[in-house]
Amino acid sequence: MGEDAPLDDGYIEPSKPREEVRQEPYPLPKDFEWSVLDINDPKQIKEVYDLLSLNYVEDDDASFRFQYSAEFLEWALKPPGYYKEWHLGVRVSSNKKLVAFISGVPVTLRVRGNVFRASEINYLCVHKKLRSKRLAPVLIKEITRQCNLLGIFQAIYTAGVVLPTPVSTCRYFHRSLNIPKLIDVKFTFVPRSMTLARMIRVFKTAAVPHLGGLREMEEKDVSQVAELFTRYMQRFDMAPVMTLDEVRHQFLSGRGDLESPSEKYRRPGQVVWTYVVENPETRRITDFFSFYSLPSTIINHPKHNLLEAAYLFYYATDVVFDAGSEHNGTLNKRLSSLVGDALIIANQAGFDVFNALTLMDNVGFLEDLKFGAGDGLLNFYLYNWRTAPLAGVKAIGGVDAGKGVGVVML
Ligand SMILES: CC(C)(COP(=O)(O)OP(=O)(O)OC[C@H]1O[C@@H](n2cnc3c(N)ncnc32)[C@H](O)[C@@H]1OP(=O)(O)O)[C@@H](O)C(=O)NCCC(=O)NCCS
């Protein structure tokens, strides 16, 4: 904290050969034991789900708490090449109850000019009854050791809290969809200058998407989406580098039960929605967008118990490759149309609100699409990697707000 930006990017501590990495697990307080969770076992995913749904992140007034579904966790924790050792739990020795968790999944990250393997650390959680006993630092040290044992010495993670030292800070924005419910649960309110009826009218979305050639992404699109994604992400200072298998996993594998008959825009168990725009003549995929489902428990509400929230995930458009598109407004216009259709689909799929952060090119369309600034911030951190701050909420060093960050963490 407070240090000047480094002159050169690079690691802080050098990597070590495996035999120089500590070989014994870090000690836990007595009565607790380490437990690697088998995410292929539905019983064990359910244990993680139960722990997180009662003890994970809440908003400042303890009105909402993230409720990652079991299907979501399975999708998020098992990308191609995942390591089971990085799904790390702590159990009470006597009754084996799961009381803490932390996870990592492998990613390839590009930060400015450097590309390296890293782990994406997520879902750190300690049971409410075991807080403030310094269990979190032990979990963090142990997952770091597990990463080091497999030759990974860098990590990326996000947190609402400020720790030493964020590489970027982004703000959450919210696009209301289901106004009556959002008002009922006090997620939003009717401003003094408006009536409820007018507010409902203002936020109403169309019944069907507008873009010609828009359809759900399919297996046959994987290579074109991967190519478009890779080219588009060059715009950002920090971004994931994905293989074809990773693109398939991130955008297709969470589509829910494909066999089951379902309502038009949502399948049972669906966690991710990905749509492409196909040019009817050339059959080229010109654009894509995706969003995922992350509901929150509404704590202590007499009528509603679940806030259905969609979160903007990755997107790309080939408009960006036209010279001048960024300055003459055509890029922002295209992104507004794309994400505008995402809002329509999310509304039809039963989401109450659509969330996005001030990262990638989002700042250019949030206002146009009636997103409002939230009070939550998300800090981005790199472990054992030095780089100058990346443009997030604020523009930095000639890079526009948001455009430093091209990583969306689940
Ligand atoms: C975050 C959580 C695991 C911390 O556990 P805790 O019992 O409150 O705190 P502990 O006594 O174990 O550890 C305190 C240390 O953890 C650090 N810490 C707290 N939250 C952290 C986070 N999100 N990431 C990394 N470190 C964190 C604190 O800074 C403190 O370290 P310091 O003394 O060096 O400053 C726990 O509060 C929790 O499960 N919260 C709900 C879920 C959540 O917010 N998860 C993190 C999502 S990013």
Side-chain angles (χ1 to χ4, degrees):
M1 289 287 197
E3 257 181 45
D4 286 340
L7 293 177
D8 294 314
D9 285 23
Y11 58 75
I12 297 164
E13 297 276 336
S15 307
K16 291 183 203 164
R18 191 184 158 109
E19 59 278 11
E20 283 175 32
V21 175
R22 181 189 163 111
Q23 300 293 312
E24 320 75 45
Y26 285 93
L28 282 168
K30 108 176 169 11
D31 305 330
F32 297 99
E33 61 189 36
W34 292 113
S35 166
V36 168
L37 278 110
D38 179 359
I39 298 298
N40 292 307
D41 173 1
K43 275 216 312 266
Q44 298 188 44
I45 301 186
K46 174 75 171 31
E47 286 183 285
V48 179
Y49 166 80
D50 287 340
L51 174 72
L52 295 183
S53 63
L54 293 173
N55 301 282
Y56 200 50
V57 178
E58 298 178 4
D59 68 325
D60 289 341
D61 343 312
S63 308
F64 305 100
R65 181 169 55 240
F66 282 142
Q67 196 191 113
Y68 288 91
S69 66
E71 291 90 352
F72 190 108
L73 291 169
E74 198 177 350
W75 172 64
L77 293 175
K78 291 201 308 186
Y82 76 90
Y83 301 112
K84 66 175 192 320
E85 295 84 350
W86 295 1
H87 302 152
L88 191 60
V90 174
R91 294 181 187 276
V92 177
S93 309
S94 58
N95 61 9
K96 308 294 173 207
K97 184 180 161 67
L98 184 69
V99 290
F101 185 71
I102 191 166
S103 70
V105 292
V107 281
T108 305
L109 260 192
R110 179 180 54 75
V111 180
R112 300 197 155 99
N114 293 285
V115 176
F116 50 87
R117 293 286 285 165
S119 63
E120 198 174 299
I121 300 293
N122 212 339
Y123 311 116
L124 164 63
C125 184
V126 169
H127 193 286
K128 288 189 176 196
K129 291 207 172 125
L130 295 172
R131 296 277 167 87
S132 305
K133 295 182 190 302
R134 309 219 44 95
L135 216 48
V138 187
L139 282 158
I140 294 167
K141 277 194 288 187
E142 183 60 15
I143 195 86
T144 305
R145 190 180 76 88
Q146 293 291 350
C147 292
N148 292 171
L149 283 171
L150 291 167
I152 303 296
F153 291 82
Q154 271 69 41
I156 180 168
Y157 53 104
T158 55
V161 294
V162 178
L163 306 160
T165 301
V167 282
S168 194
T169 302
C170 295
R171 180 174 293 284
Y172 278 105
F173 275 67
H174 311 282
R175 175 36 162 104
S176 299
L177 297 170
N178 184 349
I179 297 286
K181 178 168 168 188
L182 293 177
I183 288 170
D184 251 10
V185 305
K186 298 197 163 55
F187 185 88
T188 188
F189 57 92
V190 186
R192 238 178 297 160
S193 57
M194 258 209 207
T195 61
L196 174 63
R198 171 134 182 272
M199 196 167 166
I200 292 173
R201 255 194 331 271
V202 167
F203 286 95
K204 194 172 161 54
T205 52
V208 285
H210 297 298
L211 285 167
L214 186 81
R215 60 167 174 80
E216 236 190 324
M217 180 179 169
E218 294 169 33
E219 175 63 39
K220 66 178 184 198
D221 305 318
V222 168
S223 66
Q224 282 204 64
V225 168
E227 197 188 310
L228 182 61
F229 175 78
T230 302
R231 275 186 79 192
Y232 193 84
M233 298 310 283
Q234 297 300 324
R235 303 170 50 66
F236 311 113
D237 289 331
M238 177 167 82
V241 177
M242 287 195 213
T243 62
L244 284 182
D245 279 347
E246 286 169 328
V247 165
R248 183 179 292 110
H249 176 83
Q250 297 294 337
F251 300 124
L252 282 181
S253 73
R255 285 178 300 169
D257 183 356
L258 297 174
E259 304 299 315
S260 155
S262 67
E263 294 161 55
K264 199 157 167 224
Y265 290 108
R266 189 194 281 244
R267 299 188 190 86
Q270 184 161 12
V271 293
V272 65
W273 281 248
T274 309
Y275 284 76
V276 296
V277 179
E278 182 183 272
N279 179 317
E281 276 135 45
T282 62
R283 298 265 161 228
R284 293 290 301 165
I285 302 297
T286 56
D287 319 71
F288 85 95
F289 64 75
S290 56
F291 60 87
Y292 60 83
S293 162
L294 167 49
S296 281
T297 305
I298 306 170
I299 303 167
N300 290 330
H301 194 276
K303 188 164 141 205
H304 299 288
N305 54 25
L306 200 67
L307 180 73
E308 290 274 8
Y311 286 73
L312 185 58
F313 197 31
Y314 292 105
Y315 55 80
T317 173
D318 71 0
V319 166
V320 77
F321 311 125
D322 298 342
S325 64
E326 199 159 353
H327 301 290
N328 65 21
T330 48
L331 173 62
N332 280 345
K333 197 158 162 264
R334 183 65 179 180
L335 293 176
S336 282
S337 307
L338 275 173
V339 180
D341 273 0
L343 294 176
I344 292 169
I345 291 166
N347 183 53
Q348 294 297 327
F351 288 98
D352 301 318
V353 62
F354 195 102
N355 300 327
L357 284 155
T358 56
L359 44 72
M360 295 178 64
D361 287 306
N362 299 359
V363 175
F365 58 75
L366 292 173
E367 202 180 322
D368 191 29
L369 293 176
K370 304 185 184 126
F371 281 78
D375 41 25
L377 294 171
L378 188 68
N379 299 293
F380 283 76
Y381 301 94
L382 290 172
Y383 181 84
N384 197 18
W385 193 264
R386 234 192 264 281
T387 196
L390 303 163
V393 184
K394 294 188 227 118
I396 296 178
V399 180
D400 290 346
K403 293 188 184 169
V405 182
V407 177
V408 183
M409 296 253 312
L410 299 174

